Amino acid sequence: MPEYCIRLDGESPVRDLRQLAQWLRQNPAIRTRAAITLQPAPTAEGEMGGAALDVIALVTETGFSAANLVLAISAWRRTRPSTPGVTIERDGVRVTVDSGDPAEIARLTRALDSE
């Protein structure tokens, strides 16, 4: 099962992280195909961990669509007074959602789906 790690930039990353996790849990296309948890960010050997909640982790089932994830995050960003950058990582591929442009969303989806 692939796992996605989602990180946020911005002024209130922990608060925003909780709000994004809730947003994803309310999205039927996401919640029916993924387990969504808040976790400390993975650290490299020898590094100390950061905040108590650093990432949203998604463990997905067969049929999960990276496109639905990128679209949901893009929609969430549009609801924010300041639009934090959102970084999604999967299998060593890291993309940043910082636009709602359909061509950019398609490019990010292709990058996440490539293995």
Side-chain angles (χ1 to χ4, degrees):
M1 285 190 237
E3 184 168 311
Y4 294 80
C5 285
I6 302 168
R7 291 178 175 80
L8 297 179
D9 301 328
E11 297 173 13
S12 304
V14 173
R15 184 193 72 213
D16 289 343
L17 197 67
R18 289 178 188 274
Q19 291 172 350
L20 176 56
Q22 184 62 29
W23 181 274
L24 295 174
R25 287 180 183 121
Q26 292 173 353
N27 183 309
I30 306 290
R31 75 167 181 252
T32 59
R33 298 275 183 205
I36 302 163
T37 59
L38 295 167
Q39 300 179 353
T43 56
E45 189 173 323
E47 289 182 352
M48 295 190 65
L53 301 174
D54 293 322
V55 299
I56 297 171
L58 274 78
V59 177
T60 61
E61 297 177 358
T62 303
F64 182 81
S65 170
N68 287 336
L69 177 60
V70 174
L71 287 169
I73 289 171
S74 179
W76 175 80
R77 286 182 75 249
R78 287 191 304 270
T79 69
R80 312 304 304 154
S82 64
T83 52
V86 179
T87 301
I88 306 168
E89 185 175 351
R90 176 180 178 233
D91 296 333
V93 175
R94 194 177 283 182
V95 301
T96 300
V97 181
D98 56 9
S99 158
D101 177 60
E104 181 67 4
I105 289 172
R107 185 188 71 74
L108 297 176
T109 300
R110 282 191 305 274
L112 289 170
D113 282 339
S114 68
E115 294 192 46

